[in-house]
């Protein structure tokens, strides 16, 4: 659980899907939110996709695309 990780704030970041794409925004965390190693500034919103790595504190998050087979 992320709540057991001391480098992750209780309200650390917001991951949002608008039906088309994903984005992430830091919520004023102490240890920051990163996309591919680059820290987001303030309320900066960064778009993320399947090849991106999201860092919240010492935790790494990857988005995994679900593939529909049509069966």
């Amino acid at each position: 659980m992320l709540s057991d990780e001391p480098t992750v704030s209780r309200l650390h970041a917001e991951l949002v899907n608008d039906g088309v794409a994903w984005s992430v925004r830091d919520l004023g965390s102490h240890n920051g939110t990163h996309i591919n190693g680059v820290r987001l500034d303030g309320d900066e919103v960064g778009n993320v996709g399947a090849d991106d790595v999201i860092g919240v504190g010492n935790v790494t998050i990857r988005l995994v695309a679900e593939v529909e087979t049509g069966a």
Side-chain angles (χ1 to χ4, degrees):
M1 286 179 66
L2 289 180
S3 61
D4 295 334
E5 173 55 50
T7 63
V8 177
S9 303
R10 185 170 179 267
L11 296 174
H12 194 107
E14 176 179 52
L15 184 62
V16 177
N17 181 277
D18 64 6
V20 176
W22 287 92
S23 63
V24 65
R25 179 174 64 99
D26 186 77
L27 298 176
S29 67
H30 179 71
N31 291 309
T33 300
H34 299 77
I35 300 174
N36 300 322
V38 178
R39 187 174 180 146
L40 295 175
D41 291 324
D43 279 342
E44 179 183 6
V45 175
N47 293 323
V48 292
D51 294 330
D52 294 317
V53 176
I54 303 165
V56 288
N58 288 336
V59 175
T60 299
I61 299 170
R62 289 184 184 268
L63 297 178
V64 177
E66 181 177 328
V67 178
E68 293 185 31
T69 61

